[in-house]
Amino acid sequence: MSSLPAIIAAIASVIGASLTFWAQNRVAKMQTETQASIARFQAENQASLEKLKDDLQQKKESRPKNEKAEEVLAKYREPLLLAAFELQSRCYNILRNNLLRTSENERSRTYFIENTLYVFAQYFSWTEIIRREVQFLNLGEVEATRELSKLQENIREIILSSSYGRVFRVFRGEQRAIGELMISKQSNGDTCIGYAAFFEMKEERFRYWFEHLQWSIEEMAKDLSSDKGRLIELQHALVDLIEYLDPNYMRFDKDRCQKA
């Protein structure tokens, strides 16, 4: 009988050890299941997040092109409008007020020549900036940008046409080259350099592109008809562009945009 307590103790020890082993296995299993559940949850959520990102990207890419076109026009309407207005104003003053022949002194003459070069270059610059933007977004077939491109192409053709002779004739590639030279890279996008920066650029390789325009200005100063009607056609085309960009004349008074 003396061995009974020992037997009971041994049985209790075995049972205790078994319960401990079972409990440890159970805890380990629960930990494994929990980790698996967490991993599965994370994977499912990651997949959902990726799907959400893909859906948002698809929606963004599938936005109607006319919305993208409106964004482009909204971004560049003001600078292009200003460039078109300043160029048409200069054409008008040359034609109607004989601006190039009424310079009071050498300083005024230098200003009118340099500033005339600048307003041509400024317009070429914004045209080139918009051309790049529209081309990158593939918006050429959208009505809004198609109409804008049509008006700009008309202006481009007037400037490069041989039917008006050599004065103020600038080839298509030269228009783009001048536009490229005038572009300034900024953190929020491309812009056109200002008049002061343009005036300070005296390097031969920069001024080379403006030699013919400067010659044209000097020819017009000698003979107002030497352009054979190019400037009046250009001024009219620029006014058409202004009316498209600002149909209600909110930016400029209509009286300041009269065709010569």
Side-chain angles (χ1 to χ4, degrees):
M1 294 297 295
S2 59
S3 62
L4 182 59
I7 294 173
I8 293 173
I11 294 172
S13 177
V14 170
I15 293 173
S18 298
L19 289 173
T20 299
F21 179 75
W22 177 85
Q24 289 175 340
N25 282 346
R26 180 60 178 167
V27 169
K29 183 178 180 182
M30 289 178 65
Q31 288 177 336
T32 301
E33 291 175 349
T34 299
Q35 290 174 350
S37 297
I38 292 172
R40 188 164 53 253
F41 176 79
Q42 290 176 334
E44 290 174 353
N45 277 270
Q46 183 64 30
S48 298
L49 182 59
E50 292 298 328
K51 185 176 185 303
L52 179 60
K53 288 181 179 179
D54 290 341
D55 290 344
L56 290 174
Q57 184 64 26
Q58 289 177 7
K59 287 180 181 179
K60 183 178 179 180
E61 293 175 353
S62 64
R63 281 188 310 151
K65 285 187 175 182
N66 60 348
E67 290 183 16
K68 296 180 182 179
E70 285 300 325
E71 288 180 5
V72 172
L73 289 178
K75 183 177 181 180
Y76 296 111
R77 185 186 304 273
E78 184 74 11
L80 180 62
L81 179 60
L82 178 60
F85 175 80
E86 291 187 349
L87 181 54
Q88 74 82 24
S89 179
R90 181 53 50 88
C91 292
Y92 184 95
N93 284 319
I94 290 173
L95 294 167
R96 291 292 177 257
N97 299 323
N98 204 4
L99 182 67
L100 299 177
R101 301 185 69 177
T102 57
S103 302
E104 299 175 357
N105 49 49
E106 186 61 27
R107 181 171 180 270
S108 296
R109 181 178 179 276
T110 298
Y111 169 76
F112 289 133
I113 290 175
E114 288 292 314
N115 193 253
T116 299
L117 292 175
Y118 177 75
V119 294
F120 267 96
Q122 177 184 232
Y123 176 78
F124 292 153
S125 180
W126 284 112
T127 297
E128 176 63 15
I129 289 171
I130 294 173
R131 186 199 67 80
R132 293 180 180 185
E133 188 84 6
V134 171
Q135 177 177 274
F136 177 75
L137 292 174
N138 192 26
L139 302 178
E141 298 303 316
V142 178
E143 183 177 356
T145 52
R146 186 170 64 242
E147 182 62 23
L148 175 62
S149 297
K150 179 181 177 182
L151 291 165
Q152 289 183 306
E153 181 62 22
N154 184 39
I155 293 168
R156 192 177 294 113
E157 289 289 337
I158 291 171
I159 297 174
L160 68 85
S161 174
S162 62
S163 61
Y164 302 101
R166 294 180 58 218
V167 175
F168 285 112
R169 185 187 185 195
V170 185
F171 297 115
R172 186 184 299 272
E174 291 176 328
Q175 294 179 40
R176 285 194 56 191
I178 292 172
E180 291 170 3
L181 288 171
M182 296 290 289
I183 293 175
S184 173
K185 299 286 186 181
Q186 302 295 325
S187 59
N188 59 344
D190 292 344
T191 188
C192 176
I193 65 173
Y195 176 61
F198 169 80
F199 187 82
E200 292 298 322
M201 288 185 177
K202 304 298 184 182
E203 295 90 346
E204 184 176 351
R205 62 181 181 179
F206 179 83
R207 287 289 170 166
Y208 163 80
W209 296 98
F210 297 89
E211 289 177 356
H212 183 72
L213 274 175
Q214 182 165 342
W215 171 83
S216 299
I217 294 169
E218 293 169 351
E219 288 298 303
M220 283 290 287
K222 298 174 187 176
D223 179 4
L224 201 58
S225 64
S226 62
D227 72 318
K228 298 182 179 179
R230 190 191 305 274
L231 285 193
I232 195 168
E233 292 299 324
L234 174 59
Q235 194 263 347
H236 290 184
L238 287 164
V239 170
D240 290 340
L241 176 60
I242 291 169
E243 290 178 344
Y244 171 73
L245 294 171
D246 186 23
N248 297 317
Y249 286 93
M250 300 296 292
R251 185 65 176 80
F252 299 107
D253 291 338
K254 190 171 184 178
D255 290 343
R256 299 179 65 191
C257 302
Q258 295 294 321
K259 291 184 177 180

